[in-house]
Amino acid sequence: MNAPVAGADLAELSMTEAADAFARGEVRAEALVRACLARIEAHDSKVNSVVRLDREAALEAAAAQDRARAAGQTLGPLAGAPMMHKDMYYRAGKVSTCGSKIRADFVPKVTATVLERLDAAGAIDMGTLNMAEFAQNPTGHNAHLGHCHNPWGLDYCTGGSSSGSGAGVAARFFTAALGSDTGGSIRLPATICGVTGLKATQTRVSRHGVMPLSFSCDNVGPLVRTARDAARFLRVTAGRDPKDPTSAAEPVPDYEAALTGSVKGMKIAVCETYFLDGADAPVVAAFEAALATLREAGAEVTRIAAPSLRAIAAYTALVSRVEGAAIHANWMREHPGDYAIHLSARLYGGYPIPAHLYVEGLSRRGPLLRQFVAEALTGHDLVATPTLRTRVPTLAETDIDADPANWSRFMAVSANTRPFNYLGLPTVSIPCGFDDRGLPVGLQLAGRPFAEATVLRAADAFQQMTDWHRRAPVL
């Protein structure tokens, strides 16, 4: 069904709705950009999601697309859709701070492959977004750029490290944003800000021209309004890249065509331990209600045990900690005082870890993936979990620079997302309700390697049966 645009707030359109309305000639690209700019100018002083706003460049790009469409030219599947991206995706000649003091003036000489592919598809790039320093925390705190604030409640954290991406999509500042995901940094802002976030299979999307955090666990992906948005975004950005030798040669299917709107016959596993350990009651209630919705639509939901998860969680932390410390070794020697307190503490913790434990973590990855698939995905299409076990915490409750006693609450934020980075499995987070304080709750769905079409099909079907993803915060 075509989305109505006449008389509507154009900033409310999702990425696919905006692109499709533009393609049909129902709205101008310039009008879409101006609607988003108006939202940013009215509200970002409260949210603090934007680092660099390329206003004039975006308006010029939109005007050029309007002229091209009027002339009958064929444009890409994302033409007309305004976007902004986490400030760690390099664009040659433009500053990329990586959320840090150390790279406050860093100007890359290369452009990220994922940005080149979005450009070719017609996406309109409006600038860059706030993030956790060097993408190194799950809450979105940033001592250098200022903390990003949750549009659903300004005292609450946004999730991290793609804080500006999640907050900005939720606030209707743009239709889509790139995030990165090493331990949940796409899915956490998605759940906490009430939007959709997709981490594809490890190696599915090129990492060329993207700030590294962990060689083994980094992923590129979108924060958007809907699973349909994520499907189209992934189709554009996925695929082999000669500039990234780790990128997969696996064929890229038409993910959007796989969205049948049905989960009938789909088998979903729910791990009875780990993912629900210590979960807050409002989160469990929303999660169980989401499972009931899927069950009523014809999915089969089964409770299972997955003993491998304890080892998976331990190795995930070990591998990413060591790799982050290695990447930052020179700066930690030369500029240790330029890091936030909590980040330098986390990085220092990586250096004493013995090499044999790191190698053990890498060598156990394949066997543990096979074990988890045998436990949870043999005979099942998906694994379902809450994305976040607890209610959304406040910024103060998770500020470990101000109070180290907040450490356990800080680390608990990513407990349910980290395992899927170590396993490399495709995983999506979608809104599935609200807690008792009016903050979003997310449903996480994970599938087999390269089964993004299955993951997105279930997410889209759920969104066709519910309207949680349509809810918008009032700023």
Side-chain angles (χ1 to χ4, degrees), residues 350-375:
Y351 297 118
I353 296 174
H356 74 273
L357 289 182
Y358 171 64
V359 173
E360 179 182 324
L362 294 179
S363 66
R364 290 291 298 152
R365 198 176 188 187
L368 282 169
L369 172 59
R370 287 191 291 273
Q371 183 179 344
F372 181 78
V373 168
E375 293 168 348

Side-chain angles (χ1 to χ4, degrees), residues 185-311:
S185 291
I186 289 171
R187 291 159 290 152
L188 290 170
T191 189
I192 291 173
C193 294
V195 299
T196 298
L198 175 68
K199 182 200 83 67
T201 305
Q202 186 79 29
T203 73
R204 175 75 288 189
V205 181
S206 170
R207 298 180 292 183
H208 169 73
V210 182
M211 182 211 80
L213 170 56
S214 168
F215 312 110
S216 300
C217 298
D218 288 347
N219 293 269
V220 168
L223 289 98
V224 286
R225 309 269 177 77
T226 70
R228 184 167 294 276
D229 292 347
R232 187 176 300 184
F233 196 107
L234 185 61
R235 174 76 186 279
V236 164
T237 55
R240 177 68 177 168
D241 175 20
K243 297 177 183 176
D244 177 4
T246 69
S247 61
E250 191 81 9
V252 179
D254 185 347
Y255 298 109
E256 203 170 350
L259 306 182
T260 65
S262 174
V263 291
K264 188 173 182 179
M266 193 172 283
K267 296 182 179 180
I268 300 173
V270 175
C271 300
E272 291 191 306
T273 57
Y274 185 80
F275 291 115
L276 291 167
D277 289 352
D280 287 346
V283 172
V284 174
F287 176 62
E288 294 294 343
L291 294 178
T293 297
L294 292 167
R295 194 182 294 112
E296 290 165 8
E300 179 183 326
V301 179
T302 306
R303 310 281 170 162
I304 65 158
S308 62
L309 281 166
R310 300 296 174 191

Side-chain angles (χ1 to χ4, degrees), residues 403-436:
D403 186 355
N406 291 329
W407 177 257
S408 61
R409 187 179 287 112
F410 174 89
M411 290 304 295
V413 171
S414 57
N416 279 9
T417 54
R418 289 194 301 265
F420 296 109
N421 292 84
Y422 182 75
L423 295 171
L425 297 175
T427 315
V428 70
S429 179
I430 54 176
C432 70
F434 291 86
D435 66 23
D436 55 326

